[in-house]
Amino acid sequence: MTTPASDTLLSIVDLGRSYRSRERNVDALTGITLSIRDGEFVAVVGPSGCGKTTLLKIVAGLLPASTGAVHLGGQRVTEPPADLAVVFQEYGRSLFAWKTVRQNVELPLRHRGYTRAGRRGLVAEALDAVGLARAADAYPWQLSGGMQQRVAIARAIAYRPRLLLMDEPFSAVDAQTRGDLEDLLAGLWRRYGMTVLFVTHDIDEAVYLSQRVVVLGAAPAGLRADIPIDLPAERDQIGTRSLPRFGELRARVHAQVRGVPQHPDRQPSDRLENVAP
Ligand code: ADP
Ligand code: MG
């Protein structure tokens, strides 16, 4: 087994998860070993049903693993860690309809020992960062889907998590809004220096946003590839996506998702240091 590097924030070793019921047994994940450095932006892609959400739930301490272990900042994860926030796909259900935007964002801060003024400051800054300062007194149902998702993002960043987990957070919004939210997230990641683990089934989105793309195979999912994204740090929707390198990287990720063997003279190192022997 490899020793985690000193700047490792998240360490996942030999993680597996099965769902057992009287009707059927599902091996959702097997043998996942993955390390994520402090401050890194890592995307996880894979076909629907391959265990992406299961992986995030285990990392978030919301679901026990069947095998293996997760450590965050050196501490074994057995319950939701304090310095972690999650943005789910179904943000509509994650916001309280009877609370205002401000109250929704403030809620998780209540258990963190801030003063009232301290909380207010964090909430105002987070709403400002996602461009919703003027919607603070609105109710979620008065907002568009894209705005609701920005509320969910504001709630996560107000919390100042070391690790932000996102599960297909933009899949329910239209293409234009999606691009805006991607750029919003990229800006927040730079500004706050968080570590982000971002699940998506959209390969282009994974390549556009991340520094590394991890590919899960079909269930029972194992780690299929770990591809560094060596695009320039400054990205924009039109310029970055039209770079030849962007096209090469998305083709590589595509091939791995579809399980197509790589051309021999192409990047034999897609299986990387993170994959245990
Ligand atoms: P993904 O997020 O990649 O679509 P999931 O992690 O949601 O995949 O699911 C992985 C597999 O585990 C799927 O076959 C799914 O049907 C199964 N699964 C997920 N949650 C449960 C559950 N609570 N009970 C039984 N099977 C489940
Ligand atoms: Mg899922």
Side-chain angles (χ1 to χ4, degrees), residues 19 24 26 28 46-55 167-168 219:
Y19 293 102
R24 59 180 200 141
V26 179
S48 185
C50 78
K52 303 181 296 297
T53 296
T54 300
L55 176 65
D167 191 1
E168 309 207 24

Side-chain angles (χ1 to χ4, degrees), residues 10-273:
L10 180 69
S11 155
I12 299 171
V13 176
D14 199 26
L15 195 72
R17 170 74 202 195
S18 311
Y19 293 102
R20 308 239 170 267
S21 70
R22 220 173 304 162
E23 295 76 37
R24 59 180 200 141
N25 293 333
V26 179
D27 292 320
L29 290 173
T30 53
I32 304 285
T33 294
L34 177 69
S35 298
I36 297 181
R37 291 194 311 276
D38 202 3
E40 217 177 353
F41 195 124
V42 176
V44 176
V45 298
S48 185
C50 78
K52 303 181 296 297
T53 296
T54 300
L55 176 65
L56 273 205
K57 282 184 177 166
I58 296 171
V59 170
L62 298 169
L63 187 74
S66 304
T67 64
V70 175
H71 287 80
L72 177 63
Q75 301 272 16
R76 181 151 185 181
V77 174
T78 53
E79 57 182 40
D83 41 9
L84 177 149
V86 192
V87 175
F88 291 105
Q89 177 175 7
E90 294 176 334
Y91 46 85
R93 288 205 310 198
S94 82
L95 300 176
F96 294 106
W98 61 92
K99 289 187 184 293
T100 64
V101 165
R102 178 186 287 113
Q103 288 166 339
N104 267 285
V105 175
E106 187 177 356
L107 203 62
L109 301 176
R110 290 187 168 258
H111 309 288
R112 296 206 93 186
Y114 292 112
T115 61
R116 195 178 146 83
R119 286 202 305 265
R120 291 238 139 187
L122 287 170
V123 171
E125 189 188 329
L127 287 176
D128 193 43
V130 302
L132 284 181
R134 292 170 57 189
D137 295 312
Y139 289 88
W141 46 269
Q142 295 175 307
L143 308 177
S144 68
M147 288 170 88
Q148 288 179 23
Q149 190 60 318
R150 283 192 277 154
V151 177
I153 294 170
R155 185 169 60 186
I157 61 159
Y159 197 70
R160 297 285 163 82
R162 274 183 89 187
L163 177 62
L164 176 62
L165 304 178
M166 304 183 94
D167 191 1
E168 309 207 24
F170 309 144
S171 56
V173 294
D174 61 82
Q176 170 73 45
T177 306
R178 186 174 191 144
D180 293 346
L181 289 172
E182 287 167 358
D183 290 336
L184 172 71
L185 173 63
L188 293 170
W189 169 63
R190 276 197 211 99
R191 177 164 159 190
Y192 291 107
M194 302 171 287
T195 307
V196 181
L197 184 56
F198 185 96
V199 163
T200 179
H201 63 255
D202 185 320
I203 290 167
D204 288 48
E205 180 172 76
V207 172
Y208 178 65
L209 283 173
S210 72
Q211 297 178 302
R212 226 169 104 201
V213 175
V214 170
V215 180
L216 295 185
L223 219 153
R224 194 175 251 166
D226 190 334
I227 301 171
I229 302 300
D230 52 1
L231 293 167
E234 284 296 325
R235 301 185 191 180
D236 71 278
Q237 294 287 351
I238 296 168
T240 304
R241 287 174 191 263
S242 54
L243 292 172
R245 187 66 185 145
F246 186 90
E248 289 164 19
L249 288 164
R250 73 192 285 277
R252 262 170 78 186
V253 177
H254 247 293
Q256 292 294 345
V257 170
R258 292 172 54 212
V260 177
Q262 289 280 286
H263 195 270
D265 64 8
R266 255 188 172 181
Q267 313 297 342
S269 59
D270 281 356
R271 284 184 174 277
L272 279 187
E273 69 279 1

